[in-house]
Amino acid sequence: MTFGFIEGFSVEVYDLRFNRIVPASARMERLWTGARWTEGPAWFPAHNTVVWSDIPNDRMMHYDALSGHVGIFRQPARNSNGNTVDRQGRLVTCEHGGRQVTRTEHDGSITVLASHYQGKRLNSPNDVVVKSDGSIWFTDPDYGILSDYEGDKAESEIGRCNVYRIDPHSGALSIVADDFVKPNGLAFSPDESELYIADTGASHDPENGPRHIRKLAVTGDGTTLGASSVFAKSTAGLFDGFRFDVTGRLWTSAADGIHVFHQDGTLIGKVLVPEIVANLCFGGPKRNRLFICGTTSLYSLMTHTNGAG
């Protein structure tokens, strides 16, 4: 498999609004390959790097956007999955093998932020976001304990798959949503008035399981969730990780690449990728470079928009 720009790169345009955000001259670039299942890209503006997870290989990788160098960031990595960067520039990670959410401090030490709820071990934290108030929100499906491929096979102690919030002051863990089959990727809208969460329950129930993204109103003092509705249903595999751009368009992973939705829920276009996509993030000095985790490889694409900060 070669590196560099991919021959035959293409997009599918369903709405002319899509033409404003993907340059006509844009080309998909494969930056690195060699993973078994890539996940959780996170952009570090302080040193122009992307960190992501290779779950089955139990390692985290990093790409230097200035030199193009790719290396191992951490191994073993307790089968890390989703990653994000908090407001202080620290890495926050969901670990399937560790069954916990951790934070990598500036000195390289690791702090466990959540591992149990009411005395019971979490399933396998999957994806994570940090709100502007410093609270940490993450999903906890059971993918990492279903087999030894992405973690360690075990029975769920909690008995269900929830979405949680870690309080920024007390560190207390609370359930914010308990009606998902397999909650997966999540992201706040740019104004943080809504939290969007993917449900990939169809992975183990193809006929009846959900394959959609729901949006839930952030209520009260910003610590709970309220009214919920389905924002979009996947027509190609499952939605996994996703991110918003500054205007509120949602860019989500899917089986055939990246699906881009307008704020009103209209699918306006697709960026086709030659592998199943699990997750993505915006990066670069202007946050206009899309980094894509596609099964075995890390890809990138320049855009005409900027990721929500």
Side-chain angles (χ1 to χ4, degrees), residues 88-103:
Q88 289 73 44
R90 299 168 296 187
L91 178 69
V92 180
T93 300
C94 289
E95 298 177 1
H96 278 189
R99 298 174 70 171
Q100 60 191 8
V101 179
T102 64
R103 182 177 64 220

Side-chain angles (χ1 to χ4, degrees), residues 99 114-123 138 140 157-160 162-165 171-176 178:
R99 298 174 70 171
S115 60
H116 293 73
Y117 178 73
Q118 295 184 346
K120 298 178 180 179
R121 292 189 73 184
L122 297 173
N123 296 323
F138 68 93
D140 187 39
E157 295 183 15
I158 294 175
R160 58 184 180 182
N162 299 319
V163 183
Y164 296 91
R165 174 185 182 270
L173 188 64
S174 60
I175 295 174
V176 291
D178 61 5

Side-chain angles (χ1 to χ4, degrees), residues 35-210:
R36 283 195 171 96
W37 181 254
T38 61
E39 266 277 17
W43 171 255
F44 283 82
H47 42 88
N48 292 292
T49 62
V50 177
V51 171
W52 74 96
S53 300
D54 179 3
I55 307 175
N57 282 324
D58 193 20
R59 62 183 179 177
M60 299 173 73
M61 308 296 294
H62 67 93
Y63 167 77
D64 187 317
L66 297 181
S67 68
H69 173 75
V70 174
I72 294 176
F73 177 79
R74 179 181 295 154
Q75 189 177 31
R78 293 179 292 272
N79 301 108
S80 66
N81 189 335
N83 300 283
T84 194
V85 179
D86 71 9
R87 305 288 164 153
Q88 289 73 44
R90 299 168 296 187
L91 178 69
V92 180
T93 300
C94 289
E95 298 177 1
H96 278 189
R99 298 174 70 171
Q100 60 191 8
V101 179
T102 64
R103 182 177 64 220
T104 302
E105 309 297 347
H106 293 301
D107 64 2
S109 62
I110 297 175
T111 300
V112 176
L113 302 176
S115 60
H116 293 73
Y117 178 73
Q118 295 184 346
K120 298 178 180 179
R121 292 189 73 184
L122 297 173
N123 296 323
S124 52
N126 188 286
D127 204 1
V128 59
V129 289
V130 179
K131 198 166 176 281
S132 61
D133 63 1
S135 59
I136 297 170
W137 304 58
F138 68 93
T139 56
D140 187 39
D142 55 2
Y143 290 118
I145 58 174
L146 292 176
S147 73
D148 292 322
Y149 186 64
E150 294 189 1
D152 299 304
K153 187 175 181 179
E155 293 295 322
S156 172
E157 295 183 15
I158 294 175
R160 58 184 180 182
C161 302
N162 299 319
V163 183
Y164 296 91
R165 174 185 182 270
I166 304 174
D167 186 87
H169 306 295
S170 66
L173 188 64
S174 60
I175 295 174
V176 291
D178 61 5
D179 60 345
F180 283 78
V181 179
K182 294 189 186 298
N184 206 313
L186 77 171
F188 284 100
S189 59
D191 65 359
E192 297 186 336
S193 65
E194 296 171 319
L195 180 64
Y196 290 65
I197 306 172
D199 195 334
T200 51
S203 63
H204 288 71
D205 184 1
E207 295 298 323
N208 303 304

Side-chain angles (χ1 to χ4, degrees), residues 249-262:
R249 288 177 292 244
L250 186 150
W251 299 62
T252 181
S253 59
D256 55 356
I258 304 297
H259 294 195
V260 182
F261 290 89
H262 193 264

